[in-house]
Amino acid sequence: MAQPRRAGAPKKPAATSAGLRILKKYPNRRLYDTEVSSYITLAEVKAMVLQGVNFEVRDAKTGNDLTRSILLQIILEEETGGVPIFSTSMLSQIIRFYGHAMQGMMGTYLESNLQTFTDIQGRIAEQSKGLVDPKLPSPELWTQFLNGQAPMVQGLMGNYMEQSRQAFLKMQEQVAKQAATLFPGLPVVKPPAKR
């Protein structure tokens, strides 16, 4: 039987090179890490995400995959506990896509945009490595650097979002043309006018 965590320094989750790390969720809502043979907290699962550890959360009884549910729980805690990423308007818009014909496409669109944002963020971090003495990993210096880069990053992201919007509008136009060709008697909704 697993030993519960005792107070003190938390164990640092280690990534396994052998593959996927399995966490089990028990009916008492506790999470058990099979790699370190102990119960872990949601905060430790969040640390695993931040470290890039690949894992799955499985229901201990049924074996069902609960990973998305746990990740959503982490997002909920972050959204309610600090500075939220999602505005009420954005959450409402996301909810409206559930059950909509465009639901699958919207998920793919959001995922690819988030990946692009992450790639840009990674490139900026990589390019900035030579600007700061690596012997002085001061959070204050990094914050100052990022604050100085904020206008550039905002401009870069603004340009990217405009290109993304234009690509989406072009795709809408193409779908409308194809629909008009395939279904000549059906009224076709015209995409919004370009700005």
Side-chain angles (χ1 to χ4, degrees), residues 172-194:
Q172 278 184 310
E173 289 173 5
Q174 290 172 347
V175 168
K177 285 178 186 175
Q178 287 177 348
T181 303
L182 291 172
F183 309 105
L186 238 76
V188 177
V189 176
K190 296 187 186 217
K194 292 182 182 178

Side-chain angles (χ1 to χ4, degrees), residues 75 85-86 90 106-122 157 160-161 164:
I75 290 171
I85 291 176
F86 301 110
M90 183 177 180
M106 184 56 153
T108 303
Y109 177 77
L110 289 173
E111 190 170 347
S112 66
N113 275 296
L114 187 57
Q115 184 59 52
T116 300
F117 182 82
T118 303
D119 292 346
I120 291 170
Q121 187 181 29
M157 289 309 297
Y160 168 75
M161 293 307 290
S164 180

Side-chain angles (χ1 to χ4, degrees), residues 2-3 5 11-16 20-26 30-41 44-45 48 53-56:
Q3 296 298 315
R5 272 288 157 93
K11 288 185 185 178
K12 182 179 178 185
T16 60
L20 202 57
R21 191 163 170 172
I22 303 297
L23 308 178
K24 292 183 179 179
K25 185 171 185 204
Y26 286 91
R30 294 184 77 185
L31 295 166
Y32 181 77
D33 186 340
T34 59
E35 185 174 300
V36 296
S37 299
S38 75
Y39 289 102
I40 62 172
T41 65
E44 289 169 303
V45 176
M48 290 171 61
V53 175
N54 291 322
F55 65 90
E56 265 185 18

